[in-house]
């Protein structure tokens, strides 16, 4: 019974790794498509206005950069460094 449980555990573990790998590949594909879409929007001179950007600007101007960075990251899924640089450009 112990060997059957061990093989069942291995099969389950392999299944989890397979699913995680597929999700990771899908996330990378989505990121590439979003990047390409951003390039197209930039090329056409279009800009996506986010209503929360006003909140980020207000927080940054009030000296609440940490909160501004947090809101910016929630809006854009940007990394910490990218969000910090973006907020600093707003001030």
């Amino acid at each position: 019974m112990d060997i059957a449980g061990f093989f069942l555990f291995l099969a389950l573990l392999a299944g989890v790794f397979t699913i995680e790998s597929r999700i990771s590949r899908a996330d990378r594909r989505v990121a590439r498509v979003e990047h390409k879409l951003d390039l197209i929007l930039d090329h056409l001179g279009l800009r996506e206005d986010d209503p929360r950007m006003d909140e980020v600007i207000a927080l940054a101007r009030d000296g609440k950069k940490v909160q501004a960075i947090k809101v910016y990251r929630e809006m854009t899924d940007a990394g910490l460094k990218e969000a910090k640089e973006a907020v600093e450009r707003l001030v």
Side-chain angles (χ1 to χ4, degrees), residues 48-67:
E48 182 182 359
D49 291 330
D50 192 324
R52 294 185 66 193
M53 188 56 82
D54 293 335
E55 178 184 357
V56 172
I57 293 169
L59 287 168
R61 289 187 179 156
D62 289 342
K64 299 178 181 177
K65 286 187 180 180
V66 174
Q67 290 89 350

Side-chain angles (χ1 to χ4, degrees), residues 12-83:
L12 182 63
L13 191 60
V16 168
F17 284 128
T18 301
I19 291 171
E20 181 151 346
S21 173
R22 287 184 182 193
I23 290 172
S24 177
R25 280 185 284 165
D27 286 344
R28 286 192 305 269
R29 282 192 301 244
V30 168
R32 282 195 310 265
V33 170
E34 287 178 345
H35 177 69
K36 290 177 182 180
L37 182 57
D38 288 340
L39 291 173
I40 291 169
L41 289 173
D42 287 343
H43 178 74
L44 295 174
L46 301 174
R47 198 179 104 166
E48 182 182 359
D49 291 330
D50 192 324
R52 294 185 66 193
M53 188 56 82
D54 293 335
E55 178 184 357
V56 172
I57 293 169
L59 287 168
R61 289 187 179 156
D62 289 342
K64 299 178 181 177
K65 286 187 180 180
V66 174
Q67 290 89 350
I69 292 169
K70 182 178 178 182
V71 172
Y72 186 87
R73 289 186 72 193
E74 289 172 359
M75 284 176 20
T76 63
D77 290 330
L80 181 60
K81 181 180 177 186
E82 181 184 347

